[in-house]
Amino acid sequence: MPYSSIIFERLDNIAKITLNRPDKLNALNRQIFEDIEEAISEIELDSSIKAVILTGSGEKAFAAGADISELNECDQFSGKLFSEFGSKIMHRLENLRVPVIAAVNGFALGGGCELTLACHIRFASTNAKFGQPEVNLGILPGYGGTQRLTRIVGRAKAIEMICTGNNINAEEALRIGLVNGVYEQAELMTKVIEFVNIILSKGQLAVSAAIDSIIMSDSLSISDGLLYESRKFGEICGTDDFKEGTSAFLEKRKAEFSGK
Ligand code: COA
C-alpha cells in the first residue's frame, strides 16, 4: 500500500512507521492519520509482524501536534469529530496485539505527545521535548491526553503539564516515568531495536496476553482485572509456547518458542 505521509518499513518481523512531514515537524493532519490507520490495518492482517516502532522523520520532531491549520477550521460540532477521528486511531494503535514502541526523536507536543502515550512504551533522544501546549491555543488535549497522561505520570504531573502548557525535556520525562530510556539521537533507533529484540526472544503469545491485560487494567476494577488475568493465564497454559518454556527450564535448555 503506498503511503504519502508516513514511511512503512519492515525490519525482519518489526514494522517501523515513520511520520513523514518533516517540513511541518510531522504535524498530524488528516492524511497522516489516514496513513497511520491504514498501516494499523496492515499490521493487524500480517501475523508475521511481532512489534511496531513509531518514530518521526528528521532530527527535530517526532510530531509537533495536531495540524493547527486544520484545527483552526473547527467549530463545536466538527471539533468533536476532529477529536474522535484521531482518538479512535490512537485507540486502535494501543490495542494492537503486538508491542508498540515510540522512538521519540525530538518534539512530541500536543497530539504528538498523545500519539506517544498511545504507544505501549516510549524511548527518547536527548533532544526530545514533551508537552501538551493546547491551553496556549485555547483548547484542551483531544486525543486522549487527559486520560492517558494522567494514568502514566499521575494526576498532579498531568495537571501541571496540561494546565501550564510547559514542555519538559527528556531527562524530566525519564524522571517522571513518561519514557523508559534516553539515548543520543544517533543511537536511539539501535537501542530501541535492541530492546524490541529482547521482547521478541520471549514467548510472543505471552507478551501479547500480558500487554492486553495491562491495557485492560485501565478500565477494570481490581477484582475484574484479576479475573481477566486468570482467564488469560489459563488460555496461555493451553499453548505450545507454555509447554516449551516450562519444559526448556526443566531440561536446562534455551526455549524455542513457536508462537503457537
Ligand atoms: N501544525 C501545523 N504546522 C506546524 C505545527 C502544527 N502543530 N507545528 C509546526 N508546524 C509548522 C510551522 O508552521 C512551520 O511551517 P512553515 O515553515 O510553513 O511556516 C514548520 O512546521 C516549522 O515550524 P516552526 O514553528 O518554524 O519551528 P520552530 O523550530 O521555530 O518551533 C515548535 C518549533 C515545535 C516550538 C513550534 O513549531 C510550535 O510551537 N508548534 C506548535 C506546537 C503545538 O502547539 N502543538 C499542539 C497542537 S494542538
Side-chain angles (χ1 to χ4, degrees):
M1 153 90 204
Y3 295 100
S4 60
S5 300
I6 64 166
I7 302 167
F8 186 87
E9 296 166 278
R10 288 291 298 268
L11 314 170
D12 296 323
N13 44 7
I14 302 172
K16 181 179 170 206
I17 299 173
T18 306
L19 308 171
N20 193 30
R21 297 182 74 209
D23 54 324
K24 297 289 181 191
L25 304 185
N26 304 320
L28 303 171
N29 63 358
R30 191 168 183 94
Q31 183 59 55
I32 214 167
F33 270 127
E34 284 175 359
D35 281 1
I36 295 170
E37 186 163 39
E38 187 59 41
I40 291 171
S41 299
E42 212 173 310
I43 293 162
E44 284 171 344
L45 293 171
D46 186 343
S47 61
S48 70
I49 294 176
K50 303 295 185 198
V52 179
I53 297 174
L54 188 57
T55 193
S57 67
E59 295 184 350
K60 208 169 159 183
F62 174 84
D67 189 302
I68 298 171
S69 58
E70 288 184 358
L71 176 63
N72 180 251
E73 302 294 313
C74 286
D75 60 22
Q76 67 191 97
F77 305 109
S78 58
K80 180 166 178 281
L81 297 178
F82 187 94
S83 164
E84 286 173 353
F85 174 68
S87 218
K88 181 191 75 174
I89 294 167
M90 294 193 191
H91 184 72
R92 280 190 67 192
L93 185 71
E94 185 175 49
N95 284 283
L96 277 173
R97 71 186 188 291
V98 296
V100 181
I101 289 119
V104 184
N105 56 309
F107 288 113
L109 303 180
C113 186
E114 290 169 295
L115 184 56
T116 76
L117 301 174
C119 296
H120 299 138
I121 52 174
R122 294 146 289 282
F123 292 93
S125 56
T126 48
N127 67 318
K129 292 222 164 24
F130 293 81
Q132 298 290 161
E134 287 87 349
V135 288
N136 297 327
L137 304 170
I139 49 169
L140 73 160
Y143 297 144
T146 61
Q147 305 303 301
R148 292 196 183 93
L149 188 63
T150 308
R151 285 171 165 84
I152 294 168
V153 303
R155 186 189 289 190
K157 203 70 203 175
I159 288 178
E160 180 184 328
M161 284 178 70
I162 291 171
C163 296
T164 64
N166 288 344
N167 295 342
I168 60 169
N169 62 22
E171 199 186 319
E172 174 72 353
L174 182 64
R175 197 185 67 76
I176 65 173
L178 182 53
V179 300
N180 286 42
V182 177
Y183 303 104
E184 291 300 327
Q185 187 164 71
E187 281 194 302
L188 176 66
M189 194 47 68
T190 310
K191 293 292 186 187
V192 170
I193 291 171
E194 272 174 29
F195 176 85
V196 170
N197 280 327
I198 294 172
I199 297 180
L200 294 187
S201 70
K202 315 297 177 187
Q204 291 313 293
L205 295 172
V207 165
S208 205
I211 291 177
D212 180 44
S213 298
I214 292 165
I215 298 290
M216 284 302 283
S217 74
D218 284 348
S219 49
L220 295 177
S221 66
I222 183 72
S223 52
D224 286 346
L226 291 171
L227 286 173
Y228 191 84
E229 183 187 83
S230 294
R231 204 165 72 221
K232 285 278 159 193
F233 189 89
E235 280 171 19
I236 290 295
C237 286
T239 66
D240 293 352
D241 274 2
F242 161 73
K243 273 284 168 240
E244 168 62 12
T246 47
S247 302
F249 176 83
L250 296 172
E251 292 159 18
K252 300 191 188 306
R253 60 177 175 82
K254 192 172 180 308
E256 302 272 351
F257 294 112
S258 63
K260 291 188 182 132

